Amino acid sequence: TQMHAQGQNRQRLDLDARTDLVRALEIMLELRLVVLFGDLKPGVTFQMDGNLFVVLDYSHNKTARAAANIKVKMKNLRTGSTTEMTFGGNDKVKRAQIDKKEMQYLYNTGDAFVFMDGETYEQIEIPAENLEWEKNFLKESDTATIRSFEGEVLGVQLPDKVTLQITEAEQAVKGDTATGATKNAVLETGFQIK
């Protein structure tokens, strides 16, 4: 019976050690998800007040009597608005993991743009009003990077370079080239450039 009691005590110790280990791992994971104000550098994405932000620029401010603070210029990833905010002391925000996935643009339904994952063949629709600028440079079969957060599509990142054909162009006026004249042109996507 004494051996049996020692075995039970050892099992309780093992269980307590596992529980402590799980708690320690949870704390470590939580700390990894927290961003201290000093770590807010350009490109860092974070959550605050139910919104998603990316840091565009920052500057440290330290005065003789006041505590150090950091002024952050940030962009709301859902609305696109830019704002500035000052963080100080031990301010913390929650890190936001933005997923990026290469997808192929298939077609425009009028209300939405349809993209397909080349590996899983899964298709997603992005409302046309969310791609007002990007639609000018998208043509069928092009590849773009879809940015998302926990399944919510935030936007489309176009390639650095795209090749588009000019479908219409005004006639050049003879003798108007000395002043660096420009003329209007229409791309294959319907976008007008000068």
Side-chain angles (χ1 to χ4, degrees):
T1 60
Q2 190 176 15
M3 298 269 297
H4 181 68
Q6 287 176 347
Q8 285 182 334
N9 285 339
R10 207 173 288 135
Q11 286 178 343
R12 274 193 218 116
L13 287 174
D14 288 346
L15 184 59
D16 289 344
R18 279 191 225 135
T19 304
D20 291 343
L21 181 61
V22 168
R23 282 190 199 128
L25 289 173
E26 287 172 349
I27 291 169
M28 287 173 57
L29 181 60
E30 189 175 313
L31 288 174
R32 223 179 93 221
L33 295 175
V34 171
V35 179
L36 297 173
F37 83 98
D39 296 329
L40 291 175
K41 297 186 177 11
V44 172
T45 54
F46 64 94
Q47 298 176 57
M48 186 176 73
D49 301 329
N51 288 307
L52 294 171
F53 295 96
V54 63
V55 176
L56 301 176
D57 195 18
Y58 74 103
S59 62
H60 285 278
N61 296 323
K62 172 75 172 108
T63 58
R65 292 186 175 164
N69 60 35
I70 184 170
K71 190 174 191 177
V72 175
K73 182 176 182 181
M74 55 195 190
K75 178 180 177 182
N76 187 318
L77 292 175
R78 290 187 174 122
T79 65
S81 64
T82 303
T83 186
E84 288 189 5
M85 188 166 190
T86 302
F87 294 92
N90 294 325
D91 288 347
K92 298 174 190 169
V93 290
K94 188 175 180 186
R95 185 179 302 275
Q97 180 62 43
I98 305 300
D99 297 318
K100 295 179 181 178
K101 183 124 182 124
E102 292 284 320
M103 297 186 95
Q104 182 183 19
Y105 169 54
L106 296 179
Y107 57 91
N108 181 352
T109 65
D111 297 330
F113 287 79
V114 179
F115 290 84
M116 180 183 70
D117 184 330
E119 295 173 9
T120 64
Y121 302 107
E122 173 191 356
Q123 294 183 11
I124 62 166
E125 290 187 5
I126 301 176
E129 63 265 11
N130 293 3
L131 302 177
E132 285 300 317
W133 174 251
E134 292 87 348
K135 72 180 181 183
N136 298 315
F137 306 100
L138 274 174
K139 61 182 183 182
E140 292 179 1
S141 301
D142 279 354
T143 301
T145 304
I146 309 299
R147 294 175 311 178
S148 62
F149 174 73
E150 295 179 352
E152 172 192 359
V153 175
L154 298 172
V156 174
Q157 183 177 336
L158 296 172
D160 292 336
K161 296 178 183 178
V162 293
T163 303
L164 298 170
Q165 284 189 324
I166 295 176
T167 56
E168 282 179 47
E170 293 177 351
Q171 292 292 322
V173 177
K174 188 174 182 178
D176 199 19
T177 58
T179 60
T182 58
K183 57 183 181 177
N184 294 325
V186 178
L187 301 176
E188 63 184 289
T189 59
F191 184 56
Q192 290 190 345
I193 59 171
K194 192 167 207 140

